């Protein structure tokens, strides 16, 4: 029985109405970028004090809010910027209570219960709240640690990446898997705005170049890389919610990582730093040592600074940070390159015979064995040049008689530039706005095929901008709005822009032909709004999160042809080559081919013959089916829209009992290609397989052909998949 479907718009409105109803009956921390301070005011006997005036202040930024405790003695300051505050409490018949250094941490409620002393209100009792319990969450069931600025800037971090601290807590692996959830199921925000990679949803991991088997280059843990590379000096703090996220976070099943940037204040602050790492502290690679190659160079300098202060005292503040990293480094190639030996460059073929001695066939002898094909002088010349340019120095690859290995330390320079700035403005006592920008210029050197061939470098230029507005409508109502645009832009460069030719098992002048230039620009517009309502012993919150995503890709993967001399393309899988060599050796030299050297002889002879036995012609088509000129890239623009709404209530049932409950709902548009380059089958594959299954059960084959047709929103056809309307995420914590 199939469930009844109904329009997504109607469902969305129904859910919004339900969440609005729920919120009227609450949460505290908006979608990852704010904090809260709440608690109970009592007298010396533990009885609650109603009608007390509670004031939260931050003189450094001229920020203050005031509330009156409810009949149950509770107060709650919601949607406040993470920072250090002073809390003052005044009530008739009691001494004034002051708590200093109250730290409100991002994405974690701070509970501050204050017991008043009997006396005159003119008398003041000041106590430093201290930092001993500041990291302990006693409000809800969310698990995870906060990392404050002193940890971020003072702990030794590889490449000063703040996210390296994520793994220093229970349930997190080095690769970014949290509590068993995949790394791409985590969610990362900076100042409340999404900075995940919209294609890979990458968020946790270290940064820097690494090698892949074909000799290309990519980022370490490439699927764990946020769009905005984080500048340690610009991050004020962050929290990793490993499990049990509340409805106001949600979105995914993995960790919720919430970061906030530093901001300026009435006091001037600055910092300068420089870190150096050099070759003296590194060890050589085992294979380098074996081949007599010196230790690869590594000179890494990370430096920068920050400054923040007032533009207009008590009203307008700024913060700016710059960080740069320069690596003069080399990377040992993971696998030695296979190169021809000088003898093969002369047209000679050497092999191990059954007598366990070496037999050498001259170029003339090889040509006489294969008179129909002969030897290709262009191929012999190319092999001779390769043998001269890249003399074999490694025995881990190659057959040792015709081919050998060439090992080298590849130059892999790294140049990373990070700019971060923030401006905060107190419009009025009740309205605050801020603007944050990040600009990144990065170049990470890739490992080339050979020292003198182009390197497949990775160039990145992401940037992000966030504007936020917090409005304290009254001491019970607060609204927080944020708009952000985070734009990923990178180019993974190939090492060739022409047709590729290779001698399989002998020599390849470039990397694998599939390593071609790929460019991607992925702008993500993120719009969030959170509304908080404190009513009695309820703190209610509801909001929305909208993400408008575009993924513009350009790929040259199919822009050029490739061809290889492949022994497997000859009769008998190359046995026709080795059999002829075996017969000639037996009949003329008394030295038959050793069976263990068959493959090596096949590869060497086919390279000298120099005939392409495998040719791949690749084409790029336009939307109308016409073929684009050779060298034309494939341009695609994939898009989607994602919508989240939630409602949540934090109910202070008793001073020592809190009930947190809420509901989040998500729905998204099926991904579509905006230029109409979206295809699918004319028969949905689910229907096709069901008909095949029915035919098999009836003993009647179902063999109707399947055609590839244009589909998707841009073509006015069915989408890539149907909307998933069942993304309800209830949350309850006691």
């Amino acid at each position: 029985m199939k469930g009844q479907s109904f329009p997504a718009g109607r469902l969305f409105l129904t859910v919004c109405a339900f969440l609005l109803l729920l919120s009227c009956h609450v949460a505290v921390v908006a979608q990852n970028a704010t904090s809260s301070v709440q608690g109970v005011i009592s007298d010396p006997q533990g009885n609650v004090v109603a009608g007390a005036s509670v004031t939260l202040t931050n003189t450094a930024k001229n920020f203050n809010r005031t509330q009156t405790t409810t009949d149950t003695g509770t107060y709650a300051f919601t949607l406040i910027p993470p920072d250090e505050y002073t809390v003052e409490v005044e009530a008739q018949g009691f001494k004034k209570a002051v708590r200093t250094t109250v730290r409100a941490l991002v994405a974690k409620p701070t509970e501050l219960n204050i017991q008043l002393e009997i006396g005159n209100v003119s008398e003041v009792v000041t106590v430093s709240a201290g930092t001993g319990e500041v990291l302990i969450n006693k409000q809800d069931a969310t698990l995870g640690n906060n990392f404050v600025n002193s940890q971020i800037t003072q702990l030794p971090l590889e490449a000063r990446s703040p996210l390296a601290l994520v793994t220093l807590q229970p349930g997190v692996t080095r690769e970014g898997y949290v509590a068993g959830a995949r790394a791409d199921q985590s969610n990362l925000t900076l100042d409340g705005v999404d900075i995940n990679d919209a294609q890979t949803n990458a968020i946790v991991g270290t940064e820097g170049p690494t090698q892949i088997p074909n000799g290309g280059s990519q980022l370490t843990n490439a699927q764990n890389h946020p769009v905005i590379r984080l500048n340690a000096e610009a991050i004020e703090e962050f929290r990793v919610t490993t499990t049990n996220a509340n409805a106001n976070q949600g979105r995914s099943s993995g960790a919720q990582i919430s970061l906030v940037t530093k901001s300026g204040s009435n006091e001037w602050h600055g910092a300068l730093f420089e870190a150096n790492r050099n070759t003296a502290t590194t060890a050589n690679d085992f294979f380098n040592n074996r081949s007599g190659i010196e230790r690869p160079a590594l000179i890494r300098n990370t430096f920068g600074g920050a400054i923040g202060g007032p533009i207009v005292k008590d009203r307008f503040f700024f913060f700016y940070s710059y960080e740069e990293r320069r690596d003069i480094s080399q990377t040992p190639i993971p696998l030695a390159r296979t190169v021809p030996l000088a003898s093969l460059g002369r047209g000679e073929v050497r092999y191990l015979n059954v007598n366990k001695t070496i037999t050498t066939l001259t170029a003339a002898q090889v040509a006489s064995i294969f008179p129909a094909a002969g030897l290709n002088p262009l191929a012999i010349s190319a092999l001779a040049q390769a043998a001269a340019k890249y003399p074999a120095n490694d025995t881990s690859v190659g057959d040792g008689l015709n081919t050998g290995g060439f090992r080298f330390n590849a130059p892999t320079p790294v140049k990373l530039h990070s700019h971060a700035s923030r401006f905060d403005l107190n419009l009025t006592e009740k309205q605050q706005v801020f603007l944050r920008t990040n600009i990144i210029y990065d170049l990470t050197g890739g490992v080339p095929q050979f020292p003198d061939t182009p390197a497949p470098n990775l160039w990145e230029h992401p940037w992000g901008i966030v504007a936020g507005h917090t409005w304290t409508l009254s001491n019970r109502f607060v609204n927080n709005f944020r708009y952000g645009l985070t734009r990923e832009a990178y180019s993974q460069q190939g090492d060739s822009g022409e047709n590729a030719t290779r001698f399989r098992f002998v020599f390849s002048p470039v990397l694998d032909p599939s390593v071609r230039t790929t460019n991607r620009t992925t702008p993500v517009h993120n719009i969030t709004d959170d509304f908080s309502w404190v009513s009695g012993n309820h703190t209610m919150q509801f909001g929305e999160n909208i993400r408008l995503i575009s993924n513009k890709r350009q790929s040259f993967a199919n822009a050029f042809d490739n061809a290889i001399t492949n022994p497997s393309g000859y009769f008998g899988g190359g046995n026709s080559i080795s059999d002829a060599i075996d017969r000639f050796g037996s009949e003329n030299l008394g030295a038959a081919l050793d069976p263990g050297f068959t493959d090596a002889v096949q590869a060497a002879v086919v390279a000298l013959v120099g005939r392409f036995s495998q040719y791949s012609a690749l084409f790029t088509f336009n939307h109308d089916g016409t073929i684009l000129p050779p060298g034309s890239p494939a341009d695609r623009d994939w898009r989607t829209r994602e919508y989240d709404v939630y409602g949540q209530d934090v109910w202070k049932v008793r001073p020592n009992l809190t009930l947190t409950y809420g509901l989040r709902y998500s729905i998204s548009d099926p991904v579509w290609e905006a230029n109409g380059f979206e295809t699918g089958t004319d028969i949905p594959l689910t229907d096709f397989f069901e008909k095949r299954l029915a035919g098999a059960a009836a003993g009647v084959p179902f063999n109707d052909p399947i055609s590839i047709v244009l589909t998707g929103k841009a073509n006015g056809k069915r989408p890539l998949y149907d909307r998933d309307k069942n993304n309800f995420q209830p949350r309850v914590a006691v």
Side-chain angles (χ1 to χ4, degrees):
M1 179 178 179
K2 293 185 178 180
Q4 183 178 3
S5 176
F6 53 99
R10 186 184 305 169
L11 175 64
F12 183 79
L13 292 175
T14 302
V15 172
C16 286
F18 172 75
L19 293 177
L20 182 61
L21 180 62
L22 171 67
S23 67
C24 291
H25 189 343
V26 182
V28 292
V29 184
Q31 299 173 71
N32 307 331
T34 61
S35 186
S36 67
V37 176
Q38 53 213 341
V40 177
I41 307 301
S42 61
D43 63 16
Q45 286 72 42
N47 301 313
V48 299
V49 178
S53 175
V54 185
T55 302
L56 180 82
T57 61
N58 181 321
T59 55
K61 297 177 182 177
N62 193 29
F63 177 92
N64 70 84
R65 285 190 193 171
T66 300
Q67 280 197 3
T68 302
T69 57
T70 66
D71 292 340
T72 57
T74 61
Y75 72 95
F77 296 102
T78 62
L79 303 181
I80 61 174
D83 213 323
E84 190 172 280
Y85 294 93
T86 295
V87 176
E88 300 178 354
V89 182
E90 296 183 8
Q92 189 66 33
F94 298 95
K95 297 178 182 179
K96 180 179 180 180
V98 178
R99 297 293 184 269
T100 62
T101 63
V102 176
R103 185 68 194 183
L105 297 173
V106 63
K108 188 195 82 69
T110 296
E111 185 171 7
L112 182 66
N113 299 322
I114 299 177
Q115 191 173 71
L116 301 179
E117 297 182 13
I118 302 296
N120 194 301
V121 72
S122 61
E123 300 177 82
V124 179
V125 179
T126 302
V127 177
S128 173
T131 58
E133 295 185 68
V134 75
L135 298 180
I136 300 175
N137 176 21
K138 299 186 292 182
Q139 181 69 38
D140 54 39
T142 60
L143 298 179
N145 295 331
N146 284 78
F147 294 86
V148 296
N149 183 252
S150 58
Q151 295 170 302
I152 296 172
T153 57
Q154 296 177 22
L155 288 175
L157 303 175
E158 173 64 19
R160 288 178 60 83
S161 173
L163 290 182
L165 295 171
V166 170
T167 60
L168 302 182
Q169 59 181 317
V172 184
T173 70
R174 184 178 182 275
E175 294 76 20
Y177 294 83
V178 181
R182 290 164 51 105
D184 61 4
Q185 291 302 304
S186 296
N187 182 49
L188 187 145
T189 62
L190 180 61
D191 295 323
V193 169
D194 187 334
I195 61 169
N196 303 288
D197 188 306
Q199 177 170 299
T200 64
N201 199 33
I203 55 174
V204 184
T206 57
E207 299 161 25
T210 189
Q211 289 70 50
I212 50 181
N214 63 16
S217 174
Q218 62 182 12
L219 288 180
T220 305
N221 298 330
Q223 292 189 350
N224 298 323
H225 178 54
V227 173
I228 301 298
R229 183 171 52 78
L230 301 173
N231 180 336
E233 200 63 45
I235 300 299
E236 178 65 30
E237 60 178 275
F238 69 93
R239 189 194 189 205
V240 183
T241 303
T242 57
T243 55
N244 300 341
N246 292 326
N248 60 328
Q249 289 184 298
R251 186 188 177 188
S252 60
S253 62
Q256 307 295 313
I257 305 175
S258 311
L259 302 101
V260 290
T261 54
K262 287 183 180 179
S263 58
S265 67
N266 279 325
E267 299 178 357
W268 287 94
H269 292 278
L272 290 174
F273 62 89
E274 201 278 340
N276 172 267
R277 179 182 177 184
N278 58 54
T279 311
T281 61
T282 65
N284 202 6
D285 180 85
F286 168 81
F287 297 101
N288 276 15
N289 279 330
R290 190 176 67 172
S291 301
I293 299 175
E294 64 181 8
R295 171 173 50 182
L298 173 58
I299 302 175
R300 175 177 298 165
N301 286 288
T302 305
F303 56 92
I307 186 171
I311 297 176
V312 178
K313 188 176 181 180
D314 289 338
R315 187 170 185 188
F316 194 15
F317 315 100
F318 85 98
F319 175 84
Y320 171 75
S321 174
Y322 174 74
E323 183 171 295
E324 181 174 343
R325 171 181 159 189
R326 294 181 183 177
D327 287 10
I328 302 174
S329 60
Q330 297 174 317
T331 301
I333 59 174
L335 186 66
R337 310 302 193 214
T338 302
V339 293
L341 299 181
S343 57
L344 191 64
R346 295 190 296 268
E348 301 171 0
V349 173
R350 307 171 70 198
Y351 67 85
L352 184 69
N353 58 47
V354 292
N355 301 318
K356 304 303 179 184
T357 58
I358 297 173
T359 298
T360 300
L361 301 179
T362 65
Q365 289 174 317
V366 176
S368 69
I369 298 172
F370 305 98
L375 302 187
N376 187 334
L378 293 178
I380 295 175
S381 175
L383 295 173
Q385 292 178 20
K389 289 178 65 176
Y390 315 118
N393 59 9
D394 185 276
T395 59
S396 63
V397 298
D399 60 34
L401 298 180
N402 304 297
T403 59
F406 179 74
R407 185 175 293 278
F408 63 98
N409 292 325
T412 50
V414 176
K415 298 178 181 179
L416 310 180
H417 306 267
S418 172
H419 301 266
S421 64
R422 175 165 171 153
F423 298 89
D424 291 82
L425 174 63
N426 295 328
L427 287 175
T428 66
E429 290 185 355
K430 296 182 178 296
Q431 297 188 63
Q432 294 81 36
V433 296
F434 80 91
L435 176 69
R436 185 262 296 165
T437 60
N438 293 84
I439 300 176
I440 311 292
Y441 286 96
D442 288 352
L443 177 66
T444 303
V447 176
Q449 179 73 345
F450 291 101
D452 59 345
T453 59
N457 295 332
L458 177 66
W459 174 87
E460 289 189 283
H461 175 36
W463 55 266
I465 184 170
V466 177
H469 175 257
T470 301
W471 185 8
T472 307
L473 289 85
S474 71
N475 61 357
R476 300 298 179 190
F477 300 102
V478 182
N479 190 78
N480 182 281
F481 171 83
R482 309 214 170 183
Y483 165 77
L485 171 58
T486 303
R487 176 183 176 273
E488 167 72 297
Y490 79 83
S491 176
Q492 177 65 72
Q493 300 164 5
D495 69 340
S496 175
E498 57 187 19
N499 295 338
T501 58
R502 294 176 294 155
F503 301 91
R504 192 179 185 196
F505 306 124
V506 174
F507 176 67
S508 176
V510 295
L511 296 169
D512 189 299
S514 64
V515 182
R516 300 288 190 178
T517 298
T518 299
N519 306 314
R520 174 158 68 90
T521 302
T522 312
V524 177
H525 298 267
N526 195 189
I527 304 168
T528 72
D529 192 81
D530 302 275
F531 183 78
S532 175
W533 177 10
V534 179
S535 177
N537 54 356
H538 292 269
T539 304
M540 295 164 284
Q541 184 173 308
F542 58 95
E544 55 77 21
N545 192 324
I546 300 173
R547 293 173 294 276
L548 312 178
I549 303 170
S550 176
N551 188 346
K552 301 178 181 179
R553 295 174 52 82
Q554 182 184 77
S555 173
F556 288 85
N558 294 322
F560 306 99
D561 298 349
N562 64 80
I564 60 175
T565 64
N566 186 358
S568 300
Y570 285 78
F571 183 75
N575 288 336
S576 57
I577 302 293
S578 53
D579 289 347
I581 296 292
D582 182 57
R583 284 194 304 271
F584 181 87
S586 298
E587 297 171 0
N588 300 281
L589 305 175
L593 175 64
D594 186 286
F597 215 77
T598 300
D599 293 343
V601 164
Q602 293 175 3
V605 172
V606 168
L608 293 175
V609 170
R611 303 295 189 269
F612 295 134
S613 56
Q614 180 177 325
Y615 190 96
S616 298
L618 303 178
F619 303 95
T620 303
F621 292 87
N622 208 342
H623 183 267
D624 59 4
T626 58
I627 298 177
L628 296 175
S632 299
D635 292 303
R636 301 292 183 265
D637 184 359
W638 295 94
R639 299 184 182 183
T640 188
R641 305 288 183 260
E642 301 175 351
Y643 310 94
D644 295 3
V645 292
Y646 75 91
Q648 182 170 298
D649 180 18
V650 175
W651 180 13
K652 199 76 171 177
V653 182
R654 295 173 54 187
N656 63 345
L657 177 62
T658 304
L659 175 63
T660 303
Y661 58 97
L663 175 67
R664 190 180 188 94
Y665 178 75
S666 303
I667 192 169
S668 62
D669 293 336
V671 175
W672 79 92
E673 207 287 317
N675 299 315
F677 287 97
E678 185 177 336
T679 61
T681 56
D682 58 341
I683 303 175
L685 292 181
T686 300
D687 296 344
F688 180 81
F689 290 131
E690 287 180 352
K691 292 179 179 179
R692 293 273 292 179
L693 183 63
V700 180
F702 179 80
N703 295 318
D704 288 7
I706 297 178
S707 299
I708 303 299
V709 296
L710 290 173
T711 59
K713 182 177 180 179
N715 296 308
K717 305 291 184 179
R718 60 183 173 84
L720 187 64
Y721 51 87
D722 294 329
R723 282 188 177 90
D724 183 358
K725 304 172 183 176
N726 301 316
N727 292 319
F728 292 93
Q729 304 169 57
R731 302 286 202 276
V732 178
V734 179

